[in-house]
Amino acid sequence: MASEYMKHSLRRDSPEFRTICDCAAANHIAVVLGYSENDNDSLYLAQSHIGRDGQVKMHRRKIKPRHVERILYGEGSGSSLLNVAEEEGGEQIHVAAWPPMNYFTAFPEGSALWSQCGEGAHNLSTTHAIEGNTFVVLASSFYTKAGIERMRLGDGKLYHIGGGGCACIIAPDGRKLTQGLGEEEEGLVIADLDFEEIKKVKAMLDVHGHYSGPDLLWLGVDTREKVQVRPGV
């Protein structure tokens, strides 16, 4: 079934991707899109930030697929570290994209990692909101029973049951601003955001400013794309 999954994975230069960009522009909304990217029949866990003007602000690939992801997906390279699109005000809204998170409904207690269930996703996203001084939109994908049957996942040990969805909006101080959706419910969570709330939490803890300690700690990165053919160094 991997070939069928490959066939239906999204290409950046496809009409389908262009349609998403056009819809963003027509409705004046920004879109953070997570998808399986097909690049010449190699697959990558990808994410694209599309602005309200319909223009792509950023593409990135997951640098190191983990666990069973490595069966299908290739690794991102240095250019995927350039994953920040400059916007007025800095990062005010963080989009936390998760895979289906229903492990505890599929396995006996203690046999799966707590961080990989819906409660774990909520708690980790809340931590990011507090530490990052940002609103967080938590969204996950989910499996339908029809999709499981089509991809013949029923005999496996992962993603072999439906559901796994979770979604909410979290304030910079960790409060949940919306009620979550059901595990198999596709819909919208909506909240009015007051960006002045970010200044309040920064007065207590600003990890990007007075708490960052650049005199003691700094991060160096190599952002070069590692192509297959390149000059020796």
Side-chain angles (χ1 to χ4, degrees):
M1 303 304 291
S3 59
E4 183 176 3
Y5 187 82
M6 180 188 297
K7 181 175 64 176
H8 292 285
S9 294
L10 186 63
R11 299 177 186 268
R12 290 184 190 177
D13 59 353
S14 65
E16 292 82 2
F17 191 91
R18 186 66 254 167
T19 296
I20 296 171
C21 293
D22 291 343
C23 287
N27 293 280
H28 305 290
I29 60 173
V31 175
V32 177
L33 179 69
Y35 57 101
S36 173
E37 179 192 354
N38 186 328
D39 183 6
N40 196 30
D41 292 335
S42 285
L43 299 184
Y44 300 92
L45 288 164
Q47 190 177 60
S48 296
H49 177 186
I50 303 167
R52 289 176 292 177
D53 57 359
Q55 300 301 308
V56 176
K57 308 298 183 181
M58 178 274 296
H59 284 300
R60 66 178 293 270
R61 293 169 175 170
K62 188 170 184 178
I63 294 174
K64 178 67 70 172
R66 62 178 180 171
H67 204 240
V68 296
E69 293 172 347
R70 292 193 290 269
I71 297 173
L72 286 178
Y73 297 104
E75 297 182 351
S77 192
S79 62
S80 289
L81 293 173
L82 301 173
N83 55 12
V84 176
E86 293 295 336
E87 297 281 0
E88 183 179 354
E91 186 189 36
Q92 296 173 308
I93 303 173
H94 177 82
V95 178
W98 291 83
M101 301 293 288
N102 62 355
Y103 289 97
F104 276 11
T105 62
F107 295 99
E109 184 176 353
S111 64
L113 297 176
W114 176 85
S115 61
Q116 298 301 299
C117 71
E119 187 180 355
H122 278 272
N123 280 273
L124 289 168
S125 298
T126 300
T127 299
H128 184 97
I130 297 169
E131 292 289 327
N133 308 137
T134 181
F135 290 92
V136 170
V137 177
L138 163 62
S140 80
S141 55
F142 65 89
Y143 277 88
T144 64
K145 292 181 174 61
I148 290 171
E149 292 173 1
R150 180 176 180 179
M151 297 302 293
R152 302 175 187 172
L153 299 175
D155 295 331
K157 293 185 178 181
L158 290 174
Y159 305 124
H160 59 288
I161 62 174
C166 56
C168 71
I169 299 174
I170 305 168
D173 63 354
R175 289 173 293 124
K176 290 180 181 177
L177 302 178
T178 64
Q179 295 295 321
L181 299 175
E183 277 202 6
E184 297 185 54
E185 183 180 357
E186 185 174 9
L188 300 175
V189 291
I190 300 173
D192 293 322
L193 307 184
D194 180 3
F195 294 122
E196 291 297 313
E197 293 291 323
I198 294 176
K199 296 179 182 178
K200 294 180 182 178
V201 298
K202 280 190 172 184
M204 174 65 70
L205 174 67
D206 183 1
V207 297
H208 308 292
H210 62 267
Y211 259 72
S212 63
D215 55 324
L216 299 174
L217 302 170
W218 59 277
L219 176 65
V221 297
D222 181 357
T223 61
R224 294 172 295 175
E225 181 71 14
K226 308 306 189 295
V227 297
Q228 281 75 17
V229 179
R230 57 185 185 268
V233 293

